């Protein structure tokens, strides 16, 4: 500036050039963004030209001021962008300090360069991040609560399983768990069943096979691994049969053989094998098992079990044998077994009609034998089937009626299968029959594969309940009855144990002794002398100048 003044004073700088030089200098000042400095310069009086504003002209001066303002505003916005970035980052993480941010964006140098939208955006971002954090915290705590509720439900189901009382955690007593929203909900019976199956598989690992079957059967559960093995075997069996010449076709693979072997083991334990498959599928496996026990190889048995379901040529030898079997079995079904001498030799006297399932199985086995070509006529095939069915491992005779073990429900291990079944018949349907007829009646149960339940009959007449509905009992309900009776038996046995009686007697003696001691203490308290009351006050004011040599009773002077 001093150089400008010198040039201006010595006339070295012409007026036009002076204005140009002044303009360049002012332009540099405006480019710095210092509007305050530029305003002060414009209002400065300079020797020879007066106020710079007037020298340059108001319009040009304002132009320079506007440019300075624009540059300054750009600088401030750049500064604001740099300073606001940490606030953005803090807000994204939910760590924004509201007091510090409020002081910053309301500061005089900042408030004109940060919009309300930007302020609200940062505040909303911070609130959204805090909400996300709260939601994640809630989810993590809820996940723990959900897992805890699931663990508690599994604990209840497992406890019921161990005691063979799965039905006690089903129906209206199902465990509750928390859903994904933290709301309690009841498990469905299927949920409990699925949970129980997984627990049962885990708990029975390493157990002897019979204990595994008993554990699943007692709780009415399917072992998913056994079910898969049986199903894979059945797929293989569907590829096996006989051709038009009666020769076997197809071959058992490892999966087919594994399923058949598993079925043979499972079929030794009451009706459990039937729970793993439909009735027709069970009959196929049972037919193969029967034929192998009658001497056929497993491959031949698989083919013959398929052939028995195929139509036979009318008038052929096999056709005649099959018709003979059906005729003979029809007579047996119409009359109790005891009327046939050879049956009586196997089962003894029998005065009650037998179940349709028993005669149906007899017919099925007999037809298998005539198809196999092992027996020349219907009577010999039927008698061979009878001998097989007379095996106590296959059937059980209860109250004069022969039942297939494969249809009888399994019960707790404290009693045999037939003991439980006989007890149920005697206490439930026979008890109802006595109510209905006024005196004891012979009652048998017929298994209905369609409804998978037993129906009670008195002779040929269906038994009815008190409300005139048919007396029908599902296996599940029978097994619940077993479980209830088992628990009652256990409690009764505990109450009759010598140590329980001794404990009760000891408690009674203790109570008696305690009462006697209390009475003795009360008596002693009544007889105990009481402490004397307070001594009467004595007035010593009249005693003055005591004479140490005075005799007792002598009045003091």
């Amino acid at each position: 500036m001093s150089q400008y003044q010198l040039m201006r004073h010595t006339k070295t700088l012409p007026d036009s050039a002076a204005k140009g030089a002044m303009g360049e200098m002012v332009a540099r000042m405006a480019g710095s963004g210092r509007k305050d400095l530029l305003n002060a310069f414009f209002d400065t009086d300079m020797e020879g030209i007066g106020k710079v504003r007037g020298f340059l002209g108001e319009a040009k001066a304002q132009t320079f001021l506007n440019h300075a303002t624009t540059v300054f505003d750009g600088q401030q916005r750049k500064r604001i962008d740099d300073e606001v970035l940490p606030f953005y980052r803090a807000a994204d993480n939910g760590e924004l300090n509201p007091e510090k941010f409020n002081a910053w964006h309301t500061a005089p140098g900042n408030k004109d360069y940060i919009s309300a939208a930007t302020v609200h955006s940062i505040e909303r971002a911070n609130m959204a991040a805090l909400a996300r954090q709260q939601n994640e915290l809630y989810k993590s705590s809820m996940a723990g609560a959900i897992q805890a509720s699931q663990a508690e439900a599994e604990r209840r189901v497992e406890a019921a399983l161990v005691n063979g009382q799965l039905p006690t955690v089903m129906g209206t007593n199902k465990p509750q768990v928390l859903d994904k929203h933290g709301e309690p909900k009841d498990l469905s019976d299927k949920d409990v069943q699925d949970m129980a199956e997984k627990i049962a598989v885990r708990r029975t690992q390493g157990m002897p096979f019979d204990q595994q079957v008993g554990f699943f059967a007692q709780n009415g559960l399917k072992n998913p691994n056994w079910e898969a093995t049986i199903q894979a075997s059945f797929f293989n069996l569907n590829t096996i049969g006989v051709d038009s010449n009666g020769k076997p076709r197809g071959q058992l693979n490892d999966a087919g053989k594994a399923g058949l072997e598993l079925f043979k083991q499972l079929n030794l334990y009451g009706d459990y094998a039937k729970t793993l498959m439909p009735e027709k599928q069970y009959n196929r496996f049972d037919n193969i098992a029967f034929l192998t026990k009658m001497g056929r190889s497993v491959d031949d048995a698989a083919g013959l079990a398929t052939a028995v379901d195929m139509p036979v040529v009318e008038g052929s030898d096999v056709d005649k044998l099959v018709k003979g079997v059906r005729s003979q079995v029809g007579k047996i079904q119409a009359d109790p077994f005891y009327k046939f001498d050879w049956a009586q030799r196997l089962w003894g006297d029998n005065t009650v009609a037998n179940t349709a399932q028993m005669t149906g199985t007899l017919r099925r086995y007999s037809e298998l034998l005539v198809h196999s070509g092992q027996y020349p006529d219907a009577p010999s095939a039927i008698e061979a089937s009878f001998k097989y069915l007379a095996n106590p491992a296959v059937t059980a005779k209860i109250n004069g009626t022969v039942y297939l073990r494969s249809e009888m429900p399994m019960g707790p291990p404290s009693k045999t299968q037939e003991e439980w079944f006989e007890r149920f018949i005697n206490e439930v349907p026979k008890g109802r029959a006595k109510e209905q007829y006024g005196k004891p009646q012979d009652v048998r149960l017929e298994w209905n594969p369609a409804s998978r339940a037993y129906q009670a009959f008195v002779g040929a007449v269906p038994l009815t309940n008190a409300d005139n509905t048919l007396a029908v009992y599902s296996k599940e309900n029978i097994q619940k009855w077993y479980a209830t009776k088992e628990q009652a038996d256990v409690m009764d046995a505990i109450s009759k144990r010598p140590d329980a009686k001794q404990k009760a007697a000891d408690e009674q003696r203790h109570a008696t002794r305690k009462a006697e001691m209390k009475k003795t203490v009360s008596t002693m308290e009544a007889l105990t002398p009481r402490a004397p009351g307070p001594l009467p006050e004595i007035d010593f004011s009249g005693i003055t100048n005591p004479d140490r040599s005075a005799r007792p009773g002598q009045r003091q002077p």
Side-chain angles (χ1 to χ4, degrees), residues 192-202 216 221-222 224:
V192 174
Q193 196 92 3
D194 293 343
M195 182 185 293
E197 286 179 359
K198 293 177 182 177
I199 295 172
V201 169
R202 185 184 73 244
F216 279 93
L221 293 176
K222 295 180 180 180

Side-chain angles (χ1 to χ4, degrees), residues 91 120 122-132:
H120 292 159
I122 292 173
E123 290 176 340
R124 285 195 301 269
N126 187 59
M127 288 189 291
L130 289 174
R132 284 196 303 273

Side-chain angles (χ1 to χ4, degrees), residues 454-502:
Y454 285 100
Q455 183 176 350
F457 287 86
V458 177
V461 180
L463 181 66
T464 58
N465 296 311
D467 58 359
N468 293 322
T469 58
L470 292 175
V472 176
Y473 313 98
S474 69
K475 287 187 177 180
E476 291 75 15
N477 287 336
I478 293 175
Q479 288 179 312
K480 286 181 182 179
W481 187 91
Y482 287 174
T484 302
K485 288 296 181 180
E486 171 78 357
Q487 189 173 15
D489 291 347
V490 170
M491 297 303 296
D492 185 57
I494 290 175
S495 67
K496 293 179 180 179
R497 280 168 46 186
D499 56 340
K501 290 184 177 180
Q502 184 64 42

Side-chain angles (χ1 to χ4, degrees), residues 483-541:
T484 302
K485 288 296 181 180
E486 171 78 357
Q487 189 173 15
D489 291 347
V490 170
M491 297 303 296
D492 185 57
I494 290 175
S495 67
K496 293 179 180 179
R497 280 168 46 186
D499 56 340
K501 290 184 177 180
Q502 184 64 42
K503 182 178 179 182
D506 290 344
E507 289 176 349
Q508 180 61 39
R509 283 196 299 272
H510 178 71
T512 303
R513 185 179 301 171
K514 187 175 180 182
E516 290 175 350
M517 288 180 65
K518 185 175 181 181
K519 183 178 179 181
T520 301
V521 169
S522 299
T523 303
M524 291 176 67
E525 287 179 348
L527 298 175
T528 300
R530 301 296 180 183
L535 294 173
E537 294 184 0
I538 301 175
D539 184 9
F540 292 97
S541 59

